[in-house]
């Protein structure tokens, strides 16, 4: 038995913990780690991966003399650090081995203690490791490293945090000499890529892939709506079908001991939790996500562990191995979008060796049912998404060059050799390396000489502002005024758009009223009503191309019986497809249907999130060029909806799509991106990471056009483009689709609006977007729009005053000069009033003035009703003009358009057309 290979003191501790038999991963990994191999251990959650890595290291530590940190245990989350400290301290205390944790929450006194008396094992995060390189004493401690364990390495391998860590490990190897590398990973689709990431260039990493008796049992359900659901829909301000899903989830939670309810976004978590509390305050359910304060998250984890909570609504924050005790069931609300997500989430139930992980996906509509069935089948068969490591991100290279210089002058050749030993930068050319280095010199972060470079004072400030590669947006602390405790945080975009004194919003599953707004925090009090749902950056999980294609294949073959779903789910999906078949073509993996509505075209295309986004970008620019007028495009994984300035022959769209050549896809996308909102968001992020824009700067105050003009053709601009291509779009699969269109493998059919096409307009995939905008919901929305704060702006004297649409007179005049031309500005762009006084406007400013004039004309023509339309975020002046010119026959249709625009705003973060 492998435990016999370990020191008898370790065996004694194992016996005290009643661990007598090693798990499969421990049998396979312990001997190889004792032999000194670099090793990647791939296994499901909850089968002793940590012990498999650390027991042989603890054995070796007992035989190793000398002071200093000898083992680094790196995790992607602070919460994991807390768990690892608790688990490893038990061994450390029994064996006389020092174990400590160091991250952003570590107190200064504890940091000082670690500097004076270094622990043998230090648990930390990638970001804290960056800072440790800068201290003279800590560098001395790091020089004695013999082992590095990277936990949950799959979470780091394919993003910028991972690239930063990969370079940091090479810097550590240059400082401490070669050390043993051990990676712990959940099941992933491309194991060799993760092993390459761990080892870097020139090191062989042994892969231990353990299959254990840990099975999954997942079904897909879609509950029928009953009278109770219809009665609750009003008080809960939700759709009856979504209430039915909540009811079914509650029944499951109450029939089990401890249930995890996974959702895909933080706003969905908050929406569900708030509605459960309105429904029944006695229902013992909590909420857990990354924007809640550390204290609240720990409180939720402990409450669930002690079974004070029956259920816990959570996001990906609990996918990883955080210890929350034993969950005996897992629910996924709507499709998890990806196979790896489902395996991680359902794997949290039955979190013990040999136990079956049981769970259910509760789907709210036929699209969700089909997608969930496909993902369940792929999970059962081990068909996981590929994990790809992005090559040579320039943002991380810039960050690491400045980081290297924090300890003194650095040789240029030496820095290049260090960087290219990491897997992400293995193909980085010296030309690209030098161009990024020169860029940093021109910006003023580094002093670059012929053979070496060193940091500037500005470079030092930059380093501490940009230790983390996690995309940052300014956040505001939420402080409960009664207990003075911090409840969580809100992103700046939500605060600017929504927050003002007495406004209400939801967090921690409860509704809070804003009492006072301060520079960096918001004081709140709890109230018993439903408020606005906050939005947070980086929420949506993309549906992979392969999953969307299989949904299309299921539609084509009608083989629903081959998939796992309960009777109600299967019947709802069959009925959905039958309604489509009765008079309409069925869009599938090899058939695109083009549906024609009034100034609207819908391409039903089963290509997934990023491919549809890529095709939509190309189509929008080509159609705009043909029409001479702009078009608006919205996408989901199965549709591309095109809003047109006038009715259009569908054949023109098909011809346009067929005119695209596979070899021209990247060129077209790069051309499109210059006017894309995607590029603006990514460019501002890259500019911050290059030190061009200060970390705390508000992106609305940054002139994208001016910056783009200055930096076009530089590594900074190229990195922004590459980042969009990698994170938001999919050139490879789009080229494959265009090639299949060209060869005739993908066909086209046209029809009027069909059930499948309408489904994309009628529902969003999250709780806060009602599936059907029934009259009560629309009236509630209209009421909320009437309560929006608008800044009325006189075009004559530039006077500004605040007004709610409900308080507006029929005819709106300036109270100061009596002027009739009164424009509407939202709080986030009220400063545009300054443009009215400015001469010599640039092109961007002239466009803003045109928008202001449009809104003034609408107010002049339609008075109070115009304010209601313009208060809908995402409703631009042109859309408002359509609304107000009698385009709709009744109030419901008028409000439904605003609702659709609001949902689009939530997805695309566009404020105006």
């Amino acid at each position: 038995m492998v435990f016999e290979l370990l020191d008898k003191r370790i065996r004694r501790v194992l016996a005290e913990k009643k661990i007598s038999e090693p798990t499969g991963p421990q049998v396979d990994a312990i001997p190889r780690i004792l032999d000194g191999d670099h090793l990647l251990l791939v296994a499901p959650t909850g089968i002793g991966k940590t012990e498999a890595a650390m027991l042989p290291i603890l054995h070796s530590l007992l035989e190793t003399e000398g002071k200093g940190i000898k083992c680094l245990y790196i995790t992607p989350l602070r919460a994991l650090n807390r768990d690892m400290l608790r688990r490893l301290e038990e061994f450390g205390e029994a064996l006389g081995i020092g174990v400590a944790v160091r991250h952003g929450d570590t107190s200064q006194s504890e940091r000082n203690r670690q500097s004076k008396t270094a622990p043998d094992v230090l648990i930390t995060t990638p970001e804290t490791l960056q800072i440790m390189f800068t201290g003279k004493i800590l560098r001395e401690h790091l020089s004695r490293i013999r082992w590095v364990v990277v936990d949950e390495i799959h979470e780091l391998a394919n993003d910028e945090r991972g690239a930063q860590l990969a370079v940091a490990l090479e810097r550590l190897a240059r400082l401490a000499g070669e050390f043993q590398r051990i990676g712990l990973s959940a099941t992933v689709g491309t194991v060799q890529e993760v092993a390459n990431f761990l080892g870097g260039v020139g090191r062989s990493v042994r892969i231990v892939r353990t299959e254990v008796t840990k099975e999954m049992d997942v079904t897909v359900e879609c509950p029928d709506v009953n009278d109770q659901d219809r009665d609750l829909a009003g008080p809960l301000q939700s759709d009856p079908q979504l209430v039915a899903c909540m009811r079914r989830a509650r029944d499951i939670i109450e029939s089990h001991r401890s249930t995890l309810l996974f959702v895909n976004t933080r706003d969905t978590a908050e929406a569900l939790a708030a509605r459960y509390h309105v429904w029944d305050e006695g229902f013992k359910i909590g909420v857990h996500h990354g924007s809640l304060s550390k204290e609240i998250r720990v409180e939720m984890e402990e409450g669930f562990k002690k079974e004070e909570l029956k259920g816990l609504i959570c996001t990906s924050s609990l996918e990883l191995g955080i210890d929350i005790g034993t969950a005996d069931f897992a629910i996924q609300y709507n499709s998890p979008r990806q196979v790896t997500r489902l395996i991680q989430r359902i794997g949290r139930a039955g979190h013990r060796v040999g136990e079956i992980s049981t769970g259910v996906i509760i789907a709210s509509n036929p699209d969700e049912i089909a997608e969930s069935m496909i993902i369940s089948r792929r999970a059962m068969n081990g068909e996981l998404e590929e994990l790809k490591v992005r090559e040579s991100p320039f943002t991380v290279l810039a960050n690491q060059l400045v980081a290297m210089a924090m300890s003194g002058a650095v040789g240029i050749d030496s820095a290049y050799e260090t960087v290219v030993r990491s897997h992400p930068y293995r193909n980085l050319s010296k030309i690209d390396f030098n161009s990024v280095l020169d860029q940093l010199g021109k910006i003023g972060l580094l002093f670059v000489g012929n053979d070496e470079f060193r940091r500037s004072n500005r470079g030092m400030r930059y380093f501490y502002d940009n230790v983390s590669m996690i995309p940052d947006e300014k956040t505001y602390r939420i402080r409960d005024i009664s207990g003075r405790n911090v409840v969580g945080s809100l992103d700046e975009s939500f605060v600017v758009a929504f927050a003002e004194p007495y406004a209400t919003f939801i967090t921690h599953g409860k509704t809070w009223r804003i009492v006072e707004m301060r520079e960096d925090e918001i004081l709140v009090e709890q109230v018993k009503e439903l408020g606005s749902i906050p939005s947070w950056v980086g929420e949506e999980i993309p549906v992979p191309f392969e999953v969307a294609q299989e949904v299309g294949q299921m539609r084509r073959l009608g083989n629903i019986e081959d998939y796992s779903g309960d009777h109600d789910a299967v019947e709802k999906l069959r009925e959905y497809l039958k309604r489509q078949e009765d008079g309409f073509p069925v869009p599938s993996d090899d058939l695109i249907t083009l549906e024609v509505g009034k100034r609207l075209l819908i391409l039903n295309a089963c290509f997934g999130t990023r491919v549809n986004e890529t095709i939509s970008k190309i189509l929008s620019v080509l159609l705009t060029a043909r029409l001479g007028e702009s078009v608006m495009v919205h996408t989901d994984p199965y549709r591309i909806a095109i809003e047109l300035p006038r009715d259009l022959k569908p054949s023109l769209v098909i011809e346009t799509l067929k005119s695209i050549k596979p070899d021209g896809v990247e060129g077209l996308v790069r051309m499109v991106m210059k006017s894309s909102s995607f590029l603006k968001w990514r460019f501002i992020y890259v500019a911050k990471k290059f030190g061009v824009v200060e970390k705390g700067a508000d992106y609305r105050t940054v002139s994208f056009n001016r910056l783009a003009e200055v930096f076009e053709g530089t590594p900074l601009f190229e990195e922004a483009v590459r980042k969009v291509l990698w994170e938001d779009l999919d050139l490879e699969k789009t080229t494959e689709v265009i090639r299949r269109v060209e060869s005739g493998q993908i066909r086209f059919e046209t029809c009027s609006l069909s059930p499948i096409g309408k489904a994309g307009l009628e529902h969003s995939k999250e709780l806060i977007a009602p599936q059907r905008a029934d009259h009560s919901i629309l009236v509630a929305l209209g009421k909320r729009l009437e309560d929006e704060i608008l800044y009325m702006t006189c075009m004559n004297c530039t006077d500004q005053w605040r007004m709610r649409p409900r308080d507006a007179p029929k005819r709106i005049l300036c109270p100061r000069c009596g002027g009739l031309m009164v424009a509407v500005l939202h709080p986030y762009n009220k400063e545009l009033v300054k443009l009215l006084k400015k001469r010599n406007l640039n092109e961007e400013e002239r466009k803003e003035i045109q928008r202001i004039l449009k809104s003034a004309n609408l107010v002049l023509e339609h008075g109070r009703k115009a304010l209601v339309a313009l208060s809908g975020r995402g409703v631009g002046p042109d859309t408002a003009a359509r609304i107000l010119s009698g385009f709709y026959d009744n109030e419901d249709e008028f409000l439904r358009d605003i609702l659709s625009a609001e949902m689009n705003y939530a997805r695309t973060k566009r404020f105006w057309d």
Side-chain angles (χ1 to χ4, degrees), residues 69-70 72 133 139-148 168-179:
I69 303 166
K70 303 176 190 70
L72 273 182
F133 280 114
R139 281 176 65 84
E140 181 66 25
H141 291 321
L142 289 175
S143 69
R144 298 184 177 91
I145 290 291
R146 296 271 306 278
W147 299 272
V148 172
L169 292 179
E170 298 306 327
R171 292 168 60 197
L172 185 59
R174 190 171 276 271
L175 176 66
E178 287 297 324
F179 46 82

Side-chain angles (χ1 to χ4, degrees), residues 67-69 100-102 106-120 122 128 131-132 134-142 144:
K67 297 180 179 179
I69 303 166
V101 66
R102 189 183 185 99
T106 304
S107 67
Q108 189 58 50
S109 60
E110 174 62 18
R111 292 171 193 237
N112 293 339
R113 185 160 47 251
Q114 292 172 9
S115 296
K116 292 176 183 176
T117 308
D120 300 293
L122 184 66
T128 301
I131 296 173
M132 290 174 68
T134 64
K136 183 178 178 181
I137 297 175
L138 286 173
R139 281 176 65 84
E140 181 66 25
H141 291 321
L142 289 175
R144 298 184 177 91

Side-chain angles (χ1 to χ4, degrees), residues 337-338 371 540-549 605-617 634-640 678 727-730 734 765 907:
R337 312 291 180 237
Q338 297 172 353
E371 188 175 289
E540 292 298 331
I541 300 170
V543 175
F545 174 77
E546 294 78 10
V547 169
Q549 280 281 277
C606 300
F607 302 135
T609 304
R610 287 177 174 159
V611 173
N612 279 0
E613 192 64 57
T614 310
I615 291 173
S616 77
K617 294 293 180 201
H634 318 301
T635 67
D636 69 29
Y638 307 101
R639 300 167 191 82
I640 300 170
F678 274 152
E727 296 189 11
D728 302 314
L729 308 177
D730 188 337
T734 302
K765 297 195 175 199
R907 289 192 295 269

